[in-house]
Amino acid sequence: MSRIVFHIDVNSAFLSWSALERLEQNPDSIDLRTIPSAVAGDVASRRGVVTAASIPAKRLGVKSGEPVSAALRLCPNLVLVASNFSYYRRKSVAFLEILNRHSSAVEQFSIDEAFLDMSARFSDRRREEAAIRACAAAIQTEIRETLGFTVNVGISENKLLAKMASDFEKPDKIHTLWPEELSAKFYPLPIRSLFGVGGQSAEKLLRFGIHTIGEAADTPCEVLQRILGPSAGKSVYQSARGVNHSAVRRERPQAKSHSVERTTTTDIEKRNAATELPPLLSELAEELSSRLRKANVRAETLVIIAKTSSFQRHTRQQRLLVPSNEKEVLEASARELFSALLEGDAGLFAKREALRLVGIGAARLEDPQYQQLSLFSLPSAEEMCETKQRAAAEAAAEAEERAAARAEKRRKLGEMQAAISARYGDGALLRGGELLSAARKETQNAQSAARQERQQSTEL
């Protein structure tokens, strides 16, 4: 039985939500959505990358993911605003609350988009297509009037085509992409617009003369697998034909990793690393710890991310002694990894590199309920630190006692040797090594005398 799937995507989400935040603070301010504007990394220094751009900015060529400096060259009057993720999360929660009122099967795909399985509500999409569109329009209207921002709705029989449909003309639009519409709406699209095809894969396909989704759909699976590899080739083969069997999941799958990054206000280099890097790592470790605790997971591996002023990205990772979500443990591991990455003859600072982005991440996440514990629960980071300090102090005390005992023994032996020498003469007492040397010398003299005696007897 065919399904009916909606993909609902907030139009320019971060920019729209930043515009709403400004209007809430000052109703007389200009709506950012109506002018060339963008959400960027560090607004004060105009560094970082564009996170989201308004439609007027996009018309001037500003794109998400490009450096702010490049965006400003395209649009010198571009208005830049800083992101506010706590506000974005509140808007996302309100957005999902509305969607859950319209379907019992809602899968959050990201902070600003979700899939809805509407199959239980409509039994025959061909006879009820008008009603399906009316339902999509009702969701749009409720979001616009209640929350103040617009969404696009893509409708199809599976998640892939519904998502592709929602990316058609924006904003505040409804688009369908049924199987019979593929030839007109889907196949003419450029291959790089196919969901799941990244830049490198698109370049490989273009080199083989595959420019559109339709041309990929006409290419045998074996050929695509030779170009892209077995797994990626099969995926493109199915996606280009609009084939997708994944169900709308009511719960989001648990993240396999978490990471937090910051574009630095000033370049971090050898001269200022001691003052700039530690507080930044402390802030990142606290945020990462909060995320892990909220997800109720612990990290087995700590990862660091560094982007240099030459736009090179470096990562390092380290297995933690015990899986943890404690801020102190994460921070200590991050400091150790950054020290190895930056310091020394082979470090980035020796190569005159400076950091413009710093991040830390948690990988190989472990659910605490499946963690193998001893009879007693694992100690906290503070308790582990105290235990290590106690053990170190006890070891130092024991070493000091052993050294004092050896010194006392040597003192007593010295006094005894002095007393014997005073009574019987200096040669009366020999150390074990001296006695052994004397015995060896005496043996050698005896052997030498015996050889001489045998030689004389032979001569006679």
Side-chain angles (χ1 to χ4, degrees):
M1 184 179 69
S2 64
R3 293 177 295 159
I4 298 168
V5 177
F6 286 7
H7 178 258
I8 302 185
D9 187 10
V10 180
N11 299 135
S12 302
F14 290 177
L15 192 284
S16 294
W17 292 338
S18 291
L20 289 174
E21 183 182 21
R22 281 183 36 138
L23 290 170
E24 287 177 8
Q25 295 169 350
N26 180 12
D28 296 328
S29 62
I30 297 175
D31 190 335
L32 294 172
R33 292 168 288 189
T34 65
I35 62 172
S37 61
V39 177
D42 185 3
V43 176
S45 64
R46 297 194 164 197
R47 296 184 55 183
V49 297
V50 172
T51 306
S54 67
I55 289 179
K58 290 178 179 177
R59 288 173 183 155
L60 294 171
V62 177
K63 300 175 183 176
S64 298
E66 72 177 340
V68 171
S69 56
L72 288 170
R73 284 195 295 271
L74 287 169
C75 182
N77 296 324
L78 187 69
V79 176
L80 298 174
V81 294
S83 56
N84 184 347
F85 283 97
S86 61
Y87 185 86
Y88 298 165
R89 282 190 285 270
R90 291 198 298 273
K91 287 299 179 184
S92 177
V93 169
F95 165 62
L96 289 169
E97 285 176 353
I98 290 178
L99 300 186
N100 278 289
R101 290 200 289 269
H102 289 269
S103 174
S104 60
V106 177
E107 177 185 344
Q108 183 181 2
F109 191 62
S110 69
I111 193 172
D112 61 342
E113 56 184 319
F115 292 103
L116 283 68
D117 192 330
M118 308 296 290
S119 306
R121 189 163 176 176
F122 302 101
S123 58
D124 188 336
R125 68 100 172 163
R126 292 182 183 278
R127 289 202 307 266
E128 299 178 275
E129 186 163 350
I132 294 171
R133 278 184 166 272
C135 177
I139 295 174
Q140 278 185 321
T141 301
E142 184 176 356
I143 292 171
R144 187 190 316 111
E145 294 181 353
T146 305
L147 303 179
F149 54 85
T150 62
V151 298
N152 260 36
V153 183
I155 307 171
S156 189
E157 291 188 351
N158 62 49
K159 290 163 65 175
L160 168 71
L161 296 179
K163 179 165 177 57
M164 292 294 298
S166 70
D167 283 335
F168 293 163
E169 184 189 0
K170 298 180 179 183
D172 205 20
K173 302 291 184 182
I174 298 172
H175 299 285
T176 62
L177 188 54
W178 304 115
E180 64 269 21
E181 296 177 307
L182 296 183
S183 295
K185 295 182 178 181
F186 187 55
Y187 292 155
L189 296 175
I191 188 62
R192 64 176 65 251
S193 68
L194 180 61
F195 181 70
V197 174
Q200 291 185 353
S201 294
E203 290 300 323
K204 290 178 182 178
L205 293 169
L206 289 171
R207 286 199 297 270
F208 278 85
I210 301 172
H211 298 87
T212 66
I213 294 175
E215 289 172 345
D218 290 335
T219 304
C221 182
E222 296 78 9
V223 175
L224 293 174
Q225 287 179 314
R226 283 199 295 270
I227 297 172
L228 302 174
S231 178
K234 183 178 180 180
S235 177
V236 170
Y237 176 79
Q238 293 180 330
S239 296
R241 287 163 174 73
V243 177
N244 179 267
H245 301 294
S246 60
V248 175
R249 293 173 293 208
R250 288 169 174 77
E251 294 182 1
R252 250 185 116 184
Q254 189 178 39
K256 295 181 180 179
S257 63
H258 290 273
S259 65
V260 288
E261 299 178 359
R262 292 283 189 280
T263 300
T264 59
T265 305
T266 58
D267 283 349
I268 296 178
E269 48 195 19
K270 191 174 182 65
R271 63 176 178 81
N272 63 354
T275 56
E276 296 288 339
L277 190 57
L280 182 54
L281 292 181
S282 178
E283 179 186 338
L284 292 172
E286 185 170 359
E287 184 174 342
L288 182 60
S289 172
S290 175
R291 290 192 187 185
L292 295 176
R293 287 170 180 270
K294 189 176 292 185
N296 195 31
V297 292
R298 294 188 176 98
E300 290 187 5
T301 301
L302 194 284
V303 183
I304 63 166
I305 306 106
K307 185 182 287 185
T308 65
S309 50
S310 60
F311 293 94
Q312 296 296 312
R313 189 176 179 87
H314 302 266
T315 61
R316 296 289 187 275
Q317 65 180 35
Q318 176 175 277
R319 188 79 175 263
L320 299 178
L321 183 62
V322 176
S324 178
N325 55 20
E326 298 284 343
K327 180 222 175 193
E328 294 78 8
V329 175
L330 302 176
E331 182 180 351
S333 181
R335 287 184 181 229
E336 186 176 338
L337 286 171
F338 268 104
S339 177
L341 176 65
L342 301 175
E343 304 295 339
D345 295 338
L348 294 181
F349 286 160
K351 300 174 183 177
R352 300 186 180 277
E353 290 277 18
L355 303 184
R356 67 189 313 273
L357 179 143
V358 172
I360 63 173
R364 296 175 60 88
L365 304 183
E366 182 181 84
D367 189 329
Q369 66 175 319
Y370 299 117
Q371 186 176 1
Q372 185 177 5
L373 299 174
S374 64
L375 182 61
F376 305 100
S377 61
L378 288 172
S380 68
E382 292 179 355
E383 291 170 336
M384 290 174 66
C385 184
E386 290 175 0
T387 301
K388 288 181 179 179
Q389 290 175 346
R390 258 196 320 272
E394 290 172 359
E398 290 177 4
E400 188 174 346
E401 289 177 3
R402 288 195 297 269
R406 286 195 296 271
E408 179 64 14
K409 185 177 180 180
R410 285 195 298 271
R411 184 186 65 78
K412 289 181 178 180
L413 287 172
E415 290 178 351
M416 184 186 299
Q417 183 179 15
I420 293 174
S421 297
R423 184 170 182 178
Y424 299 105
D426 291 338
L429 184 64
L430 296 175
R431 293 181 183 274
E434 295 173 345
L435 186 61
L436 182 61
S437 297
R440 286 175 178 169
K441 189 173 182 180
E442 186 175 347
T443 301
Q444 290 171 355
N445 291 337
Q447 291 174 344
S448 178
R451 282 196 298 271
Q452 290 177 359
E453 186 176 346
R454 284 197 297 273
Q455 187 176 2
Q456 290 173 358
S457 297
T458 302
E459 291 175 351
L460 292 173

